[in-house]
Amino acid sequence: MKGEKVFRGIAVSAGVCRGRILVLHRTQHVITRRELPDNEVESEVKRFEQCLVKTRQQITEVQRRVAASMSATEADIFDAHLLMLEDRVLIDEVLRLIRTQKVSAEFAFHTVAERYVAALANVDDEYLRERAADLRDLSARVLENLLEVKDALDVRHLSEPCILVSHDLSPSTTAQLDRKFVLGFATDIGGKTSHTAIMARSLDIPAVVGLQNVSEELETGDYALLDGYNGTLIVNPTDQTLFEYGQLAKIKASLGEKLREIQRQPAVTLDGKTIVLSANIEDQNDVESVIAHGAEGVGLFRTEFLFINREQLPGEEEQYQAYRQVAAALKPAPVIIRTLDLGGDKFASHLQLAKEMNPFLGWRAIRFCLAQPELFRAQLRAILRASADGNVKMMYPMISGLDELNRANALVEKCKTELRAEKIPFDENLEIGAMIEIPSAALVADALARRVKFFSIGSNDLIQYTLAADRTNEKVSHLYEPTHPAILRLIKLTVDAAHANGIWAGVCGEVAGDVVLAPLLVGLGVDELSAAPPVIDEVKYIIRRIKLSEARALADFALQCESPSEIFARCLDLAHASAPSLFMN
Ligand code: PEP
Ligand code: MG
């Protein structure tokens, strides 16, 4: 290929790198139907079973290596492979084919696995579609073992730095990469939540997915630049392009340095207003990242992730260990544990719940917990017990009014009485807050504020419920506007009700981690912002570069303005003027 060519995809991991491309071609196994004489059928069944054992050992080994070199979260990805490998329905179907049709194990396995992959690849659920990639990965490994072939390219032993380009990058290939030499990833397919993307972010190397058929158009040895900010792969970049990216690299390096310098500093505006910056976490493994990014505790522990992707409900003891671990590691910093928010788009596979017409308006979060007192009790006891080991606070999701708050509090009191009788320690003064994420809760915030110790505004849901725009439906994403005047008025109402009653109000939805919108929230009087650990540095950076007076002026303008886009434009102006280096991509 001659001359510069730009491929556009989806940016999934920030950063820029340049170098030679290494194209990983998909290993295509040609599987033909091989029929067996009667007396070989049972030995073929045995061969298949031995292959499953061997594959299991290999995966466990890769998982062990990943756990040692990356983190437990990345290693967990291989649990999905192990589960699929033990799927009785799939295995029985393969055995049945071998026995009834008298065909080779590779032909039987390939036939069944391909059917599963096709079914998964066609479902209307991004998560499940991405599991098709897991199954393909697993299937290739099983076939390689049955056919006794080696990987076409041993990515563990690369000899020079390269940008890996492939159709897709499987988690097991990713885990085996020789990281010294991998500058970045570029793939034809994939989404923001694909495992390749998750791993790239955790490896902190640039990655772009969804580049269509780039792996077919490019050849190993081509020279390219990968831009993980804007989602482009630029092949044969001109001197001008390289110069521009050289400038960008300098800017980003100096921004990175500035962000690191303030990691241990408070989030305080130029005129002295301190904002509490906390982290949103999903499980106990996120604690390291909370500390690394200098968060002042956890503002939202989404406990439902302990309940999904598994066969058995976590009991009181298991939950206690998870909550205790976080509380003890971050002590004396506060850890706000949110009670279970199942339902909506988060389901536990083992709870066979009836499908609902409107899951976001249905049996979700506190509604579900109040109807399942035993399940709720186990969690409340686990949280109370963990409160003896650190600075634990608790909040309820999806409170719609006083009644739910009172009922939940009554259950907490019951659990406290039990624990006292059992002489199990807990914090008698454990603070309880309410999430404000339903418009009705914002409208009765004054009544709620008299009965809780804090508010945490769940803007993700507050926006969806106020504007009647499903947060997961891209067809109505144009209506999902954080700067809609209705949203800002509800936030203001909530914050004012909190302050009038001597309690604080935070925001833990995605807007809290958005550097363009955070100043507006500060101007509306929000006391705490809670966001994913990696974005905390940038939010702190902008807070330290604005004045509270400017933020208030922005909020005053926004509260009397009728247009969401005009409000957004003003937010953008202030952010650009205050922290231009955050916007130089
Ligand atoms: C929210 O709704 O803003 C929130 C933080 O909760 P979740 O995203 O888990 O629903
Ligand atoms: Mg929510």
Side-chain angles (χ1 to χ4, degrees):
M1 185 177 295
K2 289 221 170 69
E4 179 173 290
K5 179 154 185 198
V6 181
F7 294 86
R8 289 181 201 286
I10 306 166
V12 294
S13 184
V16 173
C17 63
R18 56 195 168 107
R20 295 275 161 212
I21 278 176
L22 174 65
V23 182
L24 288 180
H25 287 289
R26 268 192 288 180
T27 5
Q28 296 281 8
H29 301 290
V30 185
I31 313 284
T32 49
R33 185 183 176 100
R34 181 164 64 84
E35 304 212 350
L36 307 167
D38 283 356
N39 61 355
E40 279 182 24
V41 170
E42 282 314 305
S43 59
E44 191 67 358
V45 165
K46 200 147 186 220
R47 191 169 76 88
F48 177 61
E49 282 169 345
Q50 282 164 349
C51 162
L52 293 182
V53 174
K54 181 173 176 189
T55 311
R56 161 168 265 285
Q57 285 163 350
Q58 286 170 344
I59 297 174
T60 316
E61 171 56 22
V62 175
Q63 189 171 37
R64 196 190 52 71
R65 271 211 309 276
V66 173
S69 61
M70 294 195 203
S71 81
T73 316
E74 276 64 46
D76 285 350
I77 289 169
F78 295 96
D79 283 342
H81 289 201
L82 291 171
L83 276 179
M84 287 171 182
L85 197 61
E86 282 165 3
D87 186 324
R88 233 22 266 182
V89 182
L90 186 145
I91 296 171
D92 287 347
E93 227 176 307
V94 176
L95 295 179
R96 195 179 49 78
L97 269 192
I98 299 177
R99 288 195 169 114
T100 56
Q101 303 203 9
K102 301 189 178 50
V103 286
S104 66
E106 50 272 18
F107 181 77
F109 180 78
H110 181 68
T111 309
V112 176
E114 281 302 295
R115 217 166 47 229
Y116 273 54
V117 166
L120 280 173
N122 283 323
V123 290
D124 209 17
D125 175 316
E126 195 186 349
Y127 179 82
L128 287 178
R129 273 201 308 278
E130 279 160 10
R131 296 299 73 73
D134 284 335
L135 183 53
R136 239 182 243 119
D137 189 13
L138 173 71
S139 162
R141 190 183 283 278
V142 171
L143 290 174
E144 270 153 25
N145 285 331
L146 284 170
L147 297 166
E148 295 178 30
V149 292
K150 287 260 157 287
D151 268 350
L153 175 72
D154 189 350
V155 287
R156 278 169 291 185
H157 304 111
L158 301 171
S159 54
E160 51 186 69
C162 60
I163 298 173
L164 278 189
V165 174
S166 73
H167 180 68
D168 188 14
L169 211 46
S170 68
S172 45
T173 307
T174 312
Q176 293 178 35
L177 295 176
D178 185 344
R179 287 195 276 143
K180 277 198 307 294
F181 292 125
V182 178
L183 303 169
F185 305 149
T187 60
D188 294 346
I189 61 170
K192 272 206 164 132
T193 59
S194 69
H195 285 137
T196 314
I198 295 170
M199 286 181 151
R201 283 197 290 271
S202 105
L203 293 170
D204 210 9
I205 60 176
V208 178
V209 301
L211 286 157
Q212 316 257 329
N213 52 359
V214 73
S215 72
E216 276 161 33
E217 289 200 34
L218 300 184
E219 282 171 27
T220 293
D222 283 345
Y223 188 78
L225 183 148
L226 183 70
D227 176 353
Y229 296 109
N230 300 300
T232 53
L233 179 69
I234 306 173
V235 185
N236 295 332
T238 60
D239 287 348
Q240 177 61 25
T241 303
L242 289 176
F243 173 75
E244 284 166 13
Y245 273 95
Q247 300 298 99
L248 176 64
K250 278 190 203 142
I251 293 165
K252 289 291 175 191
S254 82
L255 172 64
E257 219 161 274
K258 282 184 211 153
L259 294 180
R260 272 190 298 281
E261 270 169 25
I262 59 165
Q263 249 164 14
R264 304 289 144 212
Q265 308 281 329
V268 53
T269 62
L270 292 170
D271 48 0
K273 169 74 182 167
T274 302
I275 302 295
V276 177
L277 275 191
S278 322
N280 293 351
I281 64 167
E282 264 99 63
D283 62 40
Q284 60 272 42
N285 299 314
D286 295 333
V287 164
E288 253 171 61
S289 180
V290 173
I291 297 170
H293 289 283
E296 297 163 66
V298 167
L300 167 64
F301 185 162
R302 288 183 162 103
T303 57
E304 51 280 3
F305 287 92
L306 297 172
F307 288 69
I308 55 185
N309 280 335
R310 52 182 292 165
E311 291 303 311
Q312 293 278 318
L313 277 178
E316 175 185 324
E317 187 58 28
E318 185 184 336
Q319 291 186 60
Y320 163 63
Q321 291 301 341
Y323 307 151
R324 193 199 61 80
Q325 215 174 308
V326 177
L330 296 175
K331 176 164 111 178
V335 174
I336 302 179
I337 304 179
R338 172 174 77 183
T339 61
L340 194 56
D341 183 10
L342 281 179
D345 59 349
K346 291 175 282 198
F347 295 102
S349 46
H350 52 278
L351 292 172
Q352 300 296 326
L353 303 178
K355 220 171 156 44
E356 297 182 317
M357 289 284 277
N358 291 301
F360 277 117
L361 300 182
W363 214 33
R364 182 187 166 191
I366 196 70
R367 305 164 177 196
F368 172 78
C369 286
L370 289 173
Q372 303 273 326
E374 274 314 300
L375 180 143
F376 199 23
R377 174 173 167 268
Q379 180 170 48
L380 295 176
R381 283 176 56 103
I383 296 173
L384 281 164
R385 287 171 59 193
S387 72
D389 297 287
N391 183 1
V392 170
K393 301 176 199 287
M394 176 168 79
M395 65 182 178
Y396 308 125
M398 239 190 135
I399 289 289
S400 66
L402 270 185
D403 181 55
E404 284 163 334
L405 176 66
N406 292 338
R407 288 175 57 203
N409 279 342
L411 286 174
V412 173
E413 285 311 314
K414 235 170 121 185
C415 292
K416 283 185 175 178
T417 311
E418 284 173 16
L419 292 174
R420 278 187 212 109
E422 294 165 35
K423 303 217 175 331
I424 298 178
F426 64 91
D427 176 5
E428 287 281 354
N429 300 314
L430 171 101
E431 293 188 356
I432 297 180
M435 286 193 73
I436 303 294
E437 46 185 356
I438 299 185
S440 60
L443 292 167
V444 297
D446 53 341
L448 293 169
R450 288 193 284 275
R451 293 162 175 90
V452 294
K453 291 284 192 264
F454 62 92
F455 283 155
S456 187
I457 300 173
S459 52
N460 302 340
D461 280 315
L462 187 63
I463 298 169
Q464 96 162 334
Y465 292 132
T466 306
L467 303 176
D470 181 341
R471 63 194 261 193
T472 64
N473 185 340
E474 72 285 353
K475 294 193 192 71
V476 289
S477 61
H478 61 290
L479 296 172
Y480 191 94
E481 286 180 301
T483 51
H484 192 293
I487 304 299
L488 305 182
R489 289 177 201 182
L490 288 173
I491 293 177
K492 178 83 166 84
L493 203 63
T494 305
V495 172
D496 287 352
H499 293 172
N501 287 282
I503 64 168
W504 58 268
V507 175
C508 62
E510 296 310 296
V511 291
D514 184 327
V515 291
V516 175
L517 300 175
L520 175 59
L521 298 175
V522 170
L524 289 168
V526 167
D527 305 288
E528 180 234 28
L529 298 171
S530 192
V535 301
I536 287 176
D537 301 332
E538 295 195 350
V539 174
K540 188 188 286 181
Y541 183 76
I542 195 145
I543 287 174
R544 291 174 61 87
R545 296 180 72 91
I546 57 166
K547 285 191 187 143
L548 177 62
S549 54
E550 289 169 327
R552 282 196 177 138
L554 174 65
D556 289 345
F557 165 79
L559 288 169
Q560 55 74 42
C561 179
E562 295 172 351
S563 153
S565 54
E566 250 180 72
I567 297 171
F568 186 76
R570 277 286 181 107
C571 294
L572 212 50
D573 286 348
L574 178 61
H576 278 179
S578 314
S581 40
L582 290 180
F583 300 93
M584 292 176 150
N585 287 348

